[in-house]
């Protein structure tokens, strides 16, 4: 009998941020294919019956290539297993989840997708930054910094006037900052780079767009990090900051009562 595949969004790294549905799927899993995000000890506890297969990149080891992961998913499912594919954040946000779903469809394997808490929203939040805020920003765009953007894309982004959230953007930050300023974004636009969200060593580097490349270089910023560009960064608070002060800052930014 053919098994099935459940693609799970694992959230930004803290097991507490898995959904209830994801936890249930892990409990029932025969095989779990996971990226490097999940601590193995947690997985052993959460998926007690499962064969655990690490398909992610680790220093000194090669990741299993995408086609290899798809072949493994299908192979295990065709042999009757309930296969859980555990991915970081949400499976459909720069996660190649769509390709894995297609591979299952092609092989006639039933597949379900369990959405996850994406780092695009949750990691800024972990640093006290709301990606939208009434009167400050009513839109946010999530972009991949995996490859440099084109000039047309810089212009569109700068022209939108909302919050820009960049994933996988540490290496391309210099070209992004330069491109956005060429396209008219003011060098005083606030930027935050949030590294290792929800981990004990989470760190946020704040600077203006004109200075962020130097600031990030001095701080030795490294991946994984989420970059947030826009006025909402001024609302950043530490967990203890009171809501009144936050609202006052928002109201000052918006030029009126919040
Ligand atoms: N599907 C994932 C994103 C995969 S791309 C999601 O929805 O979150 C991988 C990128 O996500 C990293 O390069 C980084 O930009 C971001 N990221 C994921 N987890 C993170 C974390 N805990 N802290 C900071 N950035 C993170």
């Amino acid at each position: 009998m053919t098994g099935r595949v459940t693609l799970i969004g694992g959230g930004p790294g803290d097991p507490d941020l898995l959904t209830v549905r994801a936890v249930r799927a892990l409990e029932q899993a025969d095989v779990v294919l996971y990226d490097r995000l999940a601590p193995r000890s947690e997985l052993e506890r959460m998926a007690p019956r499962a064969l655990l297969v690490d398909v992610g990149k680790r220093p000194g080891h090669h990741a299993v290539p995408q086609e290899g992961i798809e072949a493994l998913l299908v192979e295990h499912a065709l042999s009757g297993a309930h296969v859980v594919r555990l991915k970081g954040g949400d499976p459909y946000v720069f996660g190649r989840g769509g390709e894995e779903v297609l591979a299952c469809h092609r092989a006639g394997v039933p597949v379900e997708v369990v959405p996850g808490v994406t780092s695009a929203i949750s990691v800024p939040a972990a640093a006290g930054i709301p990606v939208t805020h009434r009167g400050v920003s009513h839109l946010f765009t999530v972009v991949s910094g995996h490859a440099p953007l084109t000039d047309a894309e810089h212009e569109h982004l700068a022209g939108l006037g909302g919050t820009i959230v960049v994933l996988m953007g540490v290496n391309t930050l210099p070209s992004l900052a330069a491109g956005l300023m060429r396209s008219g974004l003011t060098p005083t636009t606030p930027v935050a780079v949030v590294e290792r969200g929800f981990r004990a060593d989470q760190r946020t580097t704040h600077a203006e767009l004109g200075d962020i490349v130097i600031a990030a270089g001095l701080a030795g910023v490294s991946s994984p990090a989420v970059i947030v560009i826009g006025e909402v960064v001024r609302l950043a608070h530490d967990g203890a900051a009171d809501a009144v002060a936050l609202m006052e800052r928002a109201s000052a930014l918006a030029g009126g009562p919040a």
Side-chain angles (χ1 to χ4, degrees), residues 211-243:
D211 303 326
I212 188 62
V213 172
I214 287 172
L218 286 175
V221 160
S222 65
S223 196
V226 173
I227 301 165
V228 191
I229 303 170
E231 292 300 322
V232 289
V233 169
R234 294 193 204 280
L235 300 171
H237 62 96
D238 57 40
D242 71 352

Side-chain angles (χ1 to χ4, degrees), residues 48-117:
R49 306 188 312 151
L51 169 70
L52 303 178
V53 185
D54 179 358
V55 293
K57 276 183 252 171
R58 279 167 302 145
H61 292 75
H62 285 295
V64 178
Q66 184 65 25
E67 316 81 69
I69 293 172
E70 290 165 19
L72 276 174
L73 280 175
V74 165
E75 195 181 298
H76 282 293
L78 288 178
S79 72
H82 176 204
V83 188
V84 164
R85 171 73 174 110
L86 179 59
K87 305 176 78 71
D90 183 274
Y92 282 165
V93 179
F94 308 134
R96 308 192 73 168
E99 292 163 59
E100 294 173 18
V101 167
L102 282 176
C104 292
H105 285 324
R106 276 197 295 268
V109 169
V111 56
E112 184 199 353
V113 177
V114 178
V117 173

Side-chain angles (χ1 to χ4, degrees), residues 79-175:
S79 72
H82 176 204
V83 188
V84 164
R85 171 73 174 110
L86 179 59
K87 305 176 78 71
D90 183 274
Y92 282 165
V93 179
F94 308 134
R96 308 192 73 168
E99 292 163 59
E100 294 173 18
V101 167
L102 282 176
C104 292
H105 285 324
R106 276 197 295 268
V109 169
V111 56
E112 184 199 353
V113 177
V114 178
V117 173
T118 181
S119 63
I121 300 171
S122 62
V123 169
I129 303 168
V131 291
T132 70
H133 193 95
R134 192 174 154 81
V136 179
S137 173
H138 66 180
L139 66 112
F140 63 98
T141 309
V142 181
V143 287
S144 164
H146 184 65
L149 300 183
T150 64
D151 274 341
E153 287 170 325
H154 290 136
E155 271 165 38
H156 291 309
L157 272 178
L160 276 170
T163 308
I164 301 168
V165 178
V166 190
L167 270 54
M168 299 178 280
V170 172
N171 292 335
T172 52
L173 184 57
S175 87

